[in-house]
Amino acid sequence: NAGVTQTPKFRILKIGQSMTLQCAQDMNHNYMYWYRQDPGMGLKLIYYSVGAGITDKGEVPNGYNVSRSTTEDFPLRLELAAPSQTSVYFCACRGPGNTIYFGEGSWLTVV
Amino acid sequence: ELKVEQNPLFLSMQEGKNYTIYCNYSTTSDRLYWYRQDPGKSLESLFVLLSNGAVKQEGRLMASLDTKARLSTLHITAAVHDLSATYFCAVDMKDGNQFYFGTGTSLTVIP
């Protein structure tokens, strides 16, 4: 997973709390993505960005917000956490050869 | 919205056998990706297929793409236990901004 760094790796939130998942890439590429993966399921696109200052909704954006002030960073914010947001979150970046590179994931539990 | 379907969803096969995983998608795209995911881990890029008729092979895995049929296959030759994992295909939207995953195929290779 060279090039895409996510933090934190694990987090437990109480219902109604907010938090930000951080994502940073060093491939100097414009396209970045946030996905969630529920247990035993595929990945669903939450938000994506095609460059600094440009973001757009994916398949499941409700309950999340993003920003992209720099090429390197693409944080995902959860507002008013709900149990339905318990999931594994992956940040990804398009890199050399059109390959999409993934971070190691952030395991989030909302209780 | 792009739909990406894989079959089978679950596959249990004996070591030494051959099998094929299928990935169908619903709209025009000429870029398809295959990923492997081990339990509790991130996604590892296996293949990037960028044109109709593309075929790539790595070890016991071979992937192909037929853009006219909107179909990609991942063929497993003489399976070994180390291939046990979940395999995902993923497709770019034509504009390259969004990237959608299939449902995944959970492969178990039995000694």
Side-chain angles (χ1 to χ4, degrees):
Chain A
N1 303 318
V4 182
T5 304
Q6 284 182 240
T7 56
K9 192 168 179 67
F10 300 99
R11 182 73 185 267
I12 298 174
L13 275 182
K14 293 184 179 179
I15 294 171
Q17 287 186 320
S18 300
M19 74 160 297
T20 300
L21 299 176
Q22 302 290 344
C23 177
Q25 55 106 347
D26 61 5
M27 290 181 281
N28 197 34
H29 203 285
N30 284 325
Y31 288 15
M32 296 185 74
Y33 312 85
W34 272 107
Y35 290 89
R36 61 176 285 172
Q37 184 179 32
D38 297 328
M41 305 293 285
L43 280 76
K44 296 290 186 183
L45 181 64
I46 306 172
Y47 271 94
Y48 66 98
S49 171
V50 300
I54 307 169
T55 63
D56 209 343
K57 297 177 180 178
E59 301 170 89
V60 290
N62 292 343
Y64 306 95
N65 278 300
V66 293
S67 60
R68 185 91 182 272
S69 57
T70 67
T71 299
E72 293 77 20
D73 299 301
F74 189 37
L76 176 72
R77 182 150 180 90
L78 282 72
E79 304 281 2
L80 299 175
S84 61
Q85 293 178 302
T86 293
S87 192
V88 183
Y89 292 83
F90 289 101
C91 179
C93 177
R94 194 179 289 271
N98 261 308
T99 300
I100 310 293
Y101 294 91
F102 284 82
E104 295 197 349
S106 297
W107 273 253
L108 175 66
T109 302
V110 182
V111 297
Chain B
E1 179 184 314
L2 177 62
K3 292 192 185 298
V4 185
E5 296 181 341
Q6 286 179 237
N7 71 82
L9 298 183
F10 299 95
L11 176 57
S12 180
M13 56 190 298
Q14 286 188 315
E15 280 190 333
K17 298 293 187 182
N18 304 333
Y19 208 84
T20 300
I21 299 170
Y22 297 89
C23 174
N24 291 91
Y25 52 99
S26 64
T27 193
T28 302
S29 176
D30 56 5
R31 292 196 291 204
L32 189 131
Y33 306 75
W34 284 97
Y35 285 86
R36 169 184 172 138
Q37 186 180 37
D38 292 302
K41 301 293 187 182
S42 187
L43 285 83
E44 173 191 356
S45 178
L46 294 174
F47 300 108
V48 180
L49 303 169
L50 299 177
S51 61
N52 186 41
V55 177
K56 291 195 174 180
Q57 182 164 6
E58 180 73 32
R60 301 174 188 275
L61 301 177
M62 183 173 71
S64 66
L65 177 62
D66 181 344
T67 58
K68 294 179 181 177
R70 300 179 184 172
L71 172 69
S72 179
T73 61
L74 180 67
H75 187 72
I76 303 157
T77 301
V80 293
H81 180 68
D82 286 352
L83 290 179
S84 296
T86 299
Y87 293 85
F88 291 97
C89 64
V91 180
D92 263 334
M93 291 289 280
K94 196 68 172 167
D95 59 10
N97 291 343
Q98 300 182 59
F99 188 67
Y100 288 92
F101 279 81
T103 47
T105 296
S106 177
L107 170 65
T108 303
V109 180
I110 304 167

